[in-house]
Amino acid sequence: MSTKMFYLCFFAEKSKTLSSSTLWAHYSMLKTMLNVKRNIDVSKFYKLSAFLKRKSEGYKPKNPKVLTLDQIDKFLLEVPDKDFLMIKVALIFGVAGACRGKELHQLTISDVTDMDHALLVNVRNTKNNVDRNFIINNSNKNGIDLIEVCRKYMALRKPETTHSKFFVRYEKSQCTVQAIGKNTFGKIPQKVAEYLNLPNSTLYTGHCFRRTSASLLADSGASIDVWKRHGGWKSASVAEGYIENSINTKKIVADSIFGLGVGNSTESASAHQVSGSAVSASSASSTSSKNNILQNTIDGANRLLNIVNCSNVNIHVNINTNNKDL
């Protein structure tokens, strides 16, 4: 049996018990190891890749569920700090900075800077090697003092703590010296969902905070560039996926299609951005700017003529009102 046929039979047998995503993960690991150890390029096994693609047809991955802004506010307002202060801070950090569970685990005390009016948080050693930072301020409209919640937790840190991890275990209104493990962060969104009595709480995984942050940013109408900087994505394809699932974006597009959002310049601009009409919007803005310049020029010339006429001086002013000349 040839090598190609062997691996094709191997994956055919594995496909009976493993999902499509797991098959592709095994394929990726196998491709890397065979290329390094035996100089075999599995990517040239075209029948194998075609088989895996057929198995992927109709497969829909289970994405982590996300929290709404109302659910976040309810948790921060109703849950007592006595038992859930650390979870509150992890929720604030995770949503404000689109943080993965691993990034929260790696956060150190030197990465958080108190600037009086806000907290500056630096996220380093990320999955895609793109360091980023974000701000936590009191921009919430429901009277929740996000900064004070974080400061309260930071003030409880024991002086005898020997490590530099930011998140330490919190029990009975006191912090211990023990750092929180990365697996604990993966369970925090589920604990939030359980307190809020949300259905299918197990689907709120460790990636929930990052997806929640991206979804809230999508609903706000932010541009692709803002998304990429916020989440540290190198490609726009991931961010575009969140735009496609944004309810507010879909409403703006629907209003634009049926002519309901014509009078609202903000919604119209957002609709242009989503539908790919940025060039048209830029052209309209340029035309408006030219018209403003032309009107200002005419007004200035008229004022000058009035002054000259008062001085009994004859001056002829020619104004070219053609927009192209501007």
Side-chain angles (χ1 to χ4, degrees):
M1 182 183 294
S2 65
T3 304
K4 295 181 180 180
M5 185 58 65
F6 171 79
Y7 286 113
L8 181 59
C9 294
F10 171 79
F11 278 95
E13 184 66 25
K14 288 291 185 180
S15 65
K16 298 178 182 179
T17 57
L18 301 179
S19 65
S20 174
S21 60
T22 306
L23 288 177
W24 278 109
H26 287 182
Y27 171 80
S28 178
M29 291 184 288
L30 187 65
K31 181 176 67 174
T32 302
M33 292 305 299
L34 288 178
N35 192 25
V36 172
K37 299 292 184 180
R38 299 190 179 182
N39 198 26
I40 298 176
D41 189 1
V42 180
S43 63
K44 295 182 179 180
F45 296 178
Y46 300 115
K47 288 186 178 181
L48 176 57
S49 58
F51 171 78
L52 294 176
K53 289 178 181 178
R54 287 198 302 272
K55 287 294 181 181
S56 300
E57 293 177 357
Y59 172 77
K60 293 183 179 180
K62 293 182 180 180
N63 290 324
K65 285 199 168 189
V66 299
L67 298 168
T68 65
L69 189 58
D70 290 338
Q71 291 169 346
I72 294 173
D73 290 345
K74 181 179 180 181
F75 184 83
L76 294 177
L77 284 170
E78 295 182 0
V79 175
D81 292 347
K82 179 181 178 181
D83 301 316
F84 293 90
L85 181 60
M86 186 278 294
I87 294 180
K88 282 186 176 182
V89 176
L91 172 62
I92 294 171
F93 274 60
V95 174
C99 295
R100 304 176 179 90
K102 183 179 179 181
E103 293 169 352
L104 293 176
H105 168 68
Q106 294 177 341
L107 206 64
T108 64
I109 54 175
S110 60
D111 292 329
V112 182
T113 304
D114 193 337
M115 303 188 300
D116 294 334
H117 61 283
L119 296 179
L120 174 64
V121 184
N122 295 307
V123 183
R124 313 177 194 277
N125 301 322
T126 63
K127 178 181 178 181
N128 51 8
N129 299 318
V130 178
D131 293 352
R132 63 185 192 278
N133 51 51
F134 61 92
I135 290 288
I136 297 175
N137 56 21
N138 290 325
S139 58
N140 196 294
K141 297 181 180 179
N142 289 331
I144 304 173
D145 198 333
L146 302 179
I147 298 179
E148 288 305 317
V149 173
C150 298
R151 284 173 177 165
K152 181 178 179 179
Y153 176 74
M154 295 164 61
L156 294 175
R157 185 182 183 89
K158 293 184 177 297
E160 59 268 24
T161 304
T162 57
H163 58 81
S164 61
K165 296 288 186 181
F166 178 83
F167 283 99
V168 292
R169 192 170 298 278
Y170 178 80
E171 296 175 354
K172 299 178 181 179
S173 302
Q174 295 293 328
C175 286
T176 68
V177 297
Q178 182 181 1
I180 297 176
K182 60 181 180 180
N183 293 331
T184 302
F185 286 105
K187 296 293 184 181
I188 289 179
Q190 181 178 342
K191 292 181 179 180
V192 175
E194 289 174 350
Y195 181 88
L196 297 174
N197 294 321
L198 301 179
N200 301 320
S201 60
T202 56
L203 296 181
Y204 292 84
T205 64
H207 211 60
C208 168
F209 292 158
R210 183 168 172 84
R211 286 183 57 83
T212 297
S213 180
S215 298
L216 293 176
L217 194 58
D219 289 338
S220 70
S223 66
I224 291 290
D225 291 335
V226 172
W227 285 26
K228 290 172 65 177
R229 288 193 298 269
H230 177 65
W233 291 295
K234 295 181 179 179
S235 172
S237 60
V238 177
E240 288 172 352
Y242 290 109
I243 284 183
E244 293 175 359
N245 295 324
S246 171
I247 299 299
N248 284 355
T249 301
K250 292 181 185 295
K251 289 180 179 178
I252 293 172
V253 173
D255 289 345
S256 300
I257 292 173
F258 292 102
L260 300 177
V262 176
N264 191 325
S265 60
T266 303
E267 290 184 353
S268 178
S270 300
H272 279 304
Q273 183 183 29
V274 175
S275 62
S277 302
V279 176
S280 300
S282 176
S283 177
S285 176
S286 177
T287 302
S288 176
S289 177
K290 287 182 178 181
N291 290 336
N292 291 336
I293 295 174
L294 175 61
Q295 187 62 45
N296 291 337
T297 303
I298 294 174
D299 293 342
N302 288 333
R303 288 194 297 270
L304 179 61
L305 284 172
N306 291 333
I307 296 174
V308 171
N309 288 334
C310 291
S311 302
N312 296 320
V313 178
N314 294 324
I315 295 179
H316 298 284
V317 179
N318 295 324
I319 303 173
N320 189 349
T321 60
N322 191 348
N323 288 351
K324 295 182 180 179
D325 293 337
L326 294 177

